């Protein structure tokens, strides 16, 4: 009891209490002001989606703080709850090794730590359970370690999500040159043809159909899925793919604005999705609880579950690639039907000696290509994959720094190396292949994805501007319209440069 009193706060020097309190408050204030200044910076740059993601991050930190508060307030109460002894030895992550000394006292050597501990006889918070012939529900040390584990898991998840989204967005920004070249080509064609909409790219569209939709064996489901599975490892999205899906998206949602900035729209929707991915949903916490339940010694649950994010990621990537293939195949079928009907209407004397095809129709976005007709399900799966991979890596580092590399819960070296390799593979593959695929393929849904109000307003203004130009061109004739088009392009070039820089 004397030791208990000397360790109380009232017998601790005031300078120690004040110093520790000052350091904790200072660190908390620095973090809070950093997040506040980052939010002001994002608002000033009009990055509303990233600002919303930052607010979501604050909510997660507040949830972690509340969990920490509950564990701290109720730790004494939890440690004093007693359960039968046989239940405390059931489904253990590490088996206890008991040692009986000649003096009659019992010890157990805990393989998870380097410090042997007495069998709770010296634990003042759970000694009453031993007097009753029972064991504590959760000792104070285990409760403290669980506290740290939850914090490490959330921090690693946020870091991994930010890393993957940053690398994935950098990959998507490389497509900006494709968008600029397409828009320049459209502007030049419109100038030469008197302002007619010429955003059907026959050459690249035909290239897309030949690579994605042509071939007898591609019609077989097994062969098509196998090609889609391996396609995500090299050249997952080509320029012809981008042009074809851009054309289908604009034809469906912005038919009167062929110069719509499809790349900017993708980046905006990706920022909106980032807000959802960075959070920790209830079903993710449920997965953590299930894993903690199944982490029993001898089951190697940690090892087998490490392959789950890789399997799901390969399946999602193959599905996204298969959607692109199906879009191309539908266009090939429709074009063949049109060609057959045209051949029936045209006589032999009016046809040339070689086969003539009309311009291929654009791809037709539809929710039917996605699982359960739900493009949002793909984002949910990616969210689960990122969290599960973060959980694997976070759990590894938590064990490493809490129990050490040679602890029983760490498993053998042959189990550790594959887990780390799988985690790194998931990070790289998701950043450079799956996430960019998701960003462009999910635009092929039946409905347009939500973006911020300023982009909608800009699209409406652009639509009315294009409509007024076409009316003016019809009244003034093609030659005069071409001159007006060239003048307007010259006037708008500084503004377009500013928009491109923004």
């Amino acid at each position: 009891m004397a030791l208990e009193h000397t360790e109380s706060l009232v017998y601790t020097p005031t300078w120690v209490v004040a110093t520790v309190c000052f350091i904790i408050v200072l660190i908390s204030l620095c973090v809070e002001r950093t997040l506040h200044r980052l939010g002001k910076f994002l608002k000033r740059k009009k990055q509303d989606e990233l600002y919303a993601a930052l607010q979501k991050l604050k909510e997660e930190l507040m949830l972690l703080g509340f969990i920490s508060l509950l564990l701290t307030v109720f730790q004494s109460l939890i440690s004093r709850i007693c359960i039968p002894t046989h239940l405390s030895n059931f489904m253990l992550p590490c088996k206890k090794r008991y040692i009986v000394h000649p003096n009659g006292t019992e010890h157990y050597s805990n393989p998870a730590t380097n410090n042997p501990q007495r069998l709770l006889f010296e634990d003042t918070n759970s000694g009453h359970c031993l007097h009753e012939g029972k064991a504590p529900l959760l000792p104070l040390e285990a409760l403290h370690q669980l506290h740290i584990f939850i914090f490490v898991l959330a921090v690693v998840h946020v870091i991994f999500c930010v890393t993957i989204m940053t690398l994935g967005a950098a990959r998507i920004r490389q497509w900006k040159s494709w968008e600029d070249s397409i828009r320049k080509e459209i502007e030049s064609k419109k100038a030469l043809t008197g302002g007619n909409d010429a955003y059907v790219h026959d050459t690249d569209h035909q290239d897309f159909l030949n690579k994605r939709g042509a071939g007898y064996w591609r019609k077989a489901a097994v062969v098509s899925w196998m090609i889609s599975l391996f396609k995500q490892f090299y050249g997952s999205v080509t320029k012809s793919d981008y042009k074809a899906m851009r054309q289908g998206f604009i034809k469906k949602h912005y038919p009167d604005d062929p110069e719509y900035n499809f790349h900017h729209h993708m980046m905006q929707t990706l920022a909106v999705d980032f807000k959802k991915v960075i959070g920790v949903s209830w079903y993710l916490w449920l997965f953590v609880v299930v894993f903690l339940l199944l982490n029993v010694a001898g089951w190697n649950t940690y090892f087998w579950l490490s392959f789950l994010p890789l399997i799901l990621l390969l399946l999602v990537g193959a599905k996204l690639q298969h959607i692109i293939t199906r879009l191309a195949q539908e266009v090939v079928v429709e074009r063949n039907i049109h060609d057959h009907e045209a051949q029936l209407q045209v006589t032999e004397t009016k046809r040339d000696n070689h086969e003539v095809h009309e311009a291929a129709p654009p791809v037709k976005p539809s929710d039917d290509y996605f699982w359960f007709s739900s493009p949002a399900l793909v984002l949910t799966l990616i969210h689960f994959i990122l969290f599960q991979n973060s959980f694997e890596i976070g759990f590894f580092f938590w064990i490493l720094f809490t129990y050490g590399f040679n602890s029983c819960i760490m498993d053998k070296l042959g189990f550790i190396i594959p887990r780390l390799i799988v985690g790194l593979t998931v990070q790289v593959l998701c950043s450079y292949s799956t996430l960019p695929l998701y960003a462009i393929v999910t635009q092929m849904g039946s409905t347009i994805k939500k973006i911020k109000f300023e982009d909608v307003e800009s699209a409406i203004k652009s639509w009315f501007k294009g409509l007024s130009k076409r009316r003016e061109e019809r009244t003034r004739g093609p030659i005069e319209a071409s001159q007006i088009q060239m003048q307007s392009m010259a006037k708008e070039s500084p503004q377009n440069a500013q928009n491109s820089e923004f």
Side-chain angles (χ1 to χ4, degrees):
M1 296 297 294
L3 181 62
E4 230 180 280
H5 286 297
T6 56
E7 291 180 352
S8 175
L9 183 64
V10 297
Y11 291 101
T12 305
T14 56
W15 67 269
V16 175
V17 177
T19 302
V20 173
C21 184
F22 172 77
I23 294 175
I24 294 176
V25 171
L26 180 62
I27 295 175
S28 302
L29 287 177
C30 290
V31 173
E32 191 275 334
R33 297 313 300 174
T34 301
L35 294 177
H36 179 71
R37 291 183 179 275
L38 179 59
K40 291 179 66 176
F41 173 78
L42 295 176
K43 292 289 287 184
R44 185 168 62 252
K45 296 296 183 179
K46 298 183 179 180
Q47 298 291 333
D48 295 338
E49 289 77 17
L50 294 180
Y51 178 77
L54 180 63
Q55 297 300 115
K56 184 68 176 180
L57 176 61
K58 290 182 178 180
E59 293 177 7
E60 297 301 327
L61 292 177
M62 185 171 64
L63 176 61
L64 286 178
F66 186 71
I67 294 175
S68 176
L69 178 63
L70 289 179
L71 291 175
T72 303
V73 172
F74 294 104
Q75 64 179 2
S76 298
L77 178 61
I78 295 175
S79 63
R80 296 181 67 86
I81 299 177
C82 303
I83 59 175
T85 307
H86 68 278
L87 292 180
S88 65
N89 297 323
F90 178 66
M91 297 181 68
L92 293 175
C94 288
K95 296 181 180 180
K96 296 179 180 179
R97 294 198 298 264
Y98 291 93
I99 301 175
V100 180
H101 290 269
N103 58 5
T105 59
E106 282 186 338
H107 297 261
Y108 74 88
S109 177
N110 190 351
T113 60
N114 297 325
N115 300 324
Q117 298 179 348
R118 271 199 182 274
L119 226 201
L120 302 176
F121 282 106
E122 299 173 359
D123 191 348
T124 57
N125 291 291
S126 55
H128 68 286
C129 293
L130 295 176
H131 292 301
E132 298 176 5
K134 298 181 179 180
L137 177 65
L138 192 64
L140 283 177
E141 183 181 0
L143 193 61
H144 176 66
Q145 293 170 353
L146 178 63
H147 189 175
I148 298 177
F149 166 69
I150 294 175
F151 176 77
V152 171
L153 173 61
V155 171
V156 172
H157 173 65
V158 171
I159 294 175
F160 273 35
C161 286
V162 172
T163 303
I164 288 181
M165 283 294 178
T166 302
L167 297 177
R171 173 67 174 167
I172 298 174
R173 288 191 186 96
Q174 296 178 357
W175 302 344
K176 183 67 166 57
S177 59
W178 297 348
E179 179 72 24
D180 295 337
S181 64
I182 294 172
R183 298 178 71 182
K184 289 180 181 179
E185 184 179 353
I186 293 173
E187 291 176 358
S188 61
K189 285 186 176 181
K190 290 180 67 175
L192 294 176
T193 58
N196 294 325
D197 294 340
Y199 56 92
V200 177
H201 308 275
D202 297 334
T203 303
D204 293 299
H205 201 45
Q206 186 63 36
D207 187 35
F208 166 73
L209 298 179
N210 291 336
K211 292 181 179 179
R212 293 284 189 172
Y216 174 78
W217 290 105
R218 285 183 179 270
K219 298 179 182 179
V222 176
V223 176
S224 179
W225 273 96
M226 291 299 296
I227 295 175
S228 300
L229 177 63
F230 292 102
K231 178 64 177 175
Q232 58 184 314
F233 296 105
Y234 63 96
S236 57
V237 178
T238 62
K239 187 175 181 179
S240 59
D241 299 338
Y242 182 87
K243 285 188 174 183
M245 286 186 281
R246 177 188 184 276
Q247 174 191 351
F249 174 85
I250 295 178
K251 188 69 175 179
K252 182 176 180 63
H253 301 293
Y254 299 98
D256 295 315
D257 187 13
E259 300 178 33
Y260 181 77
N261 197 332
F262 177 64
H263 183 270
H264 177 69
H265 178 86
M266 274 197 310
M267 295 299 296
Q268 292 295 327
T269 54
L270 185 64
V272 173
D273 294 335
F274 179 62
K275 174 185 175 182
K276 302 176 183 179
V277 169
I278 200 173
V280 183
S281 303
W282 63 270
Y283 54 86
L284 299 179
W285 287 113
L286 182 61
F287 168 79
V288 173
V289 174
V290 172
F291 174 81
L292 293 176
L293 175 65
L294 300 178
N295 188 27
V296 181
W299 290 14
N300 296 324
T301 307
Y302 183 37
F303 173 75
W304 297 114
L305 280 181
S306 63
F307 293 94
L308 180 60
L310 179 61
I311 295 173
L312 290 178
L313 189 66
L314 293 176
L315 183 62
V316 170
K319 177 61 177 178
L320 295 175
Q321 288 286 349
H322 191 252
I323 290 175
I324 301 178
T325 301
R326 288 189 59 190
L327 288 170
Q329 290 175 346
E330 293 291 337
V331 173
V332 170
V333 172
E334 185 177 355
R335 187 187 63 178
N336 292 337
I337 294 175
H338 288 171
D339 290 345
H340 181 68
E341 293 176 351
Q343 290 174 4
L344 293 178
Q345 295 177 359
V346 178
T347 60
E348 292 291 339
T349 57
K350 293 183 179 180
R351 282 192 297 175
D352 297 331
N353 293 330
H354 59 279
E355 194 70 22
V356 178
H357 293 285
E358 296 180 357
V363 297
K364 295 182 178 180
S366 175
D367 289 344
D368 297 334
Y369 297 117
F370 297 88
W371 283 315
F372 304 103
S373 300
S374 176
L377 180 61
V378 180
L379 179 63
T380 303
L381 290 175
I382 292 178
H383 189 190
F384 177 78
I385 291 169
L386 296 182
F387 179 81
Q388 213 275 333
N389 193 56
S390 303
F391 175 83
E392 294 291 336
I393 303 300
F395 191 72
F396 169 78
F397 284 107
W398 173 70
I399 294 175
L400 181 63
F401 291 108
T402 303
Y403 302 109
F405 189 80
N406 296 321
S407 63
C408 68
I409 200 172
M410 180 64 79
D411 290 331
K412 299 179 181 179
L413 184 63
F415 290 153
I416 298 174
I417 296 178
R419 291 201 303 259
L420 296 179
I421 294 176
V422 168
L424 180 61
T425 303
V426 170
Q427 286 289 109
V428 175
L429 184 61
C430 187
S431 300
Y432 290 101
S433 178
T434 309
L435 189 62
L437 265 175
Y438 162 80
I440 189 170
V441 174
T442 51
Q443 307 297 333
M444 297 296 102
S446 301
T447 58
I448 190 171
K449 299 179 72 173
K450 292 181 179 180
I451 54 177
K452 62 182 182 180
F453 176 75
E454 288 79 1
D455 293 329
V456 178
E457 184 181 9
S458 176
I460 295 175
K461 289 181 179 180
S462 178
W463 183 83
F464 277 109
K465 183 179 179 180
L467 183 62
S468 62
K469 281 186 178 181
R470 281 188 290 276
R471 287 179 178 176
E472 184 178 1
E473 290 161 1
R474 290 194 188 100
T475 57
R476 297 191 179 186
I479 298 177
E480 187 177 0
S482 178
Q483 296 176 354
I484 295 175
Q485 180 71 18
M486 297 297 292
Q487 293 175 0
S488 62
M489 288 174 58
K491 291 180 180 179
E492 293 177 359
S493 58
Q495 183 179 359
N496 292 334
Q498 293 178 359
N499 293 335
S500 176
E501 183 179 359
F502 173 75

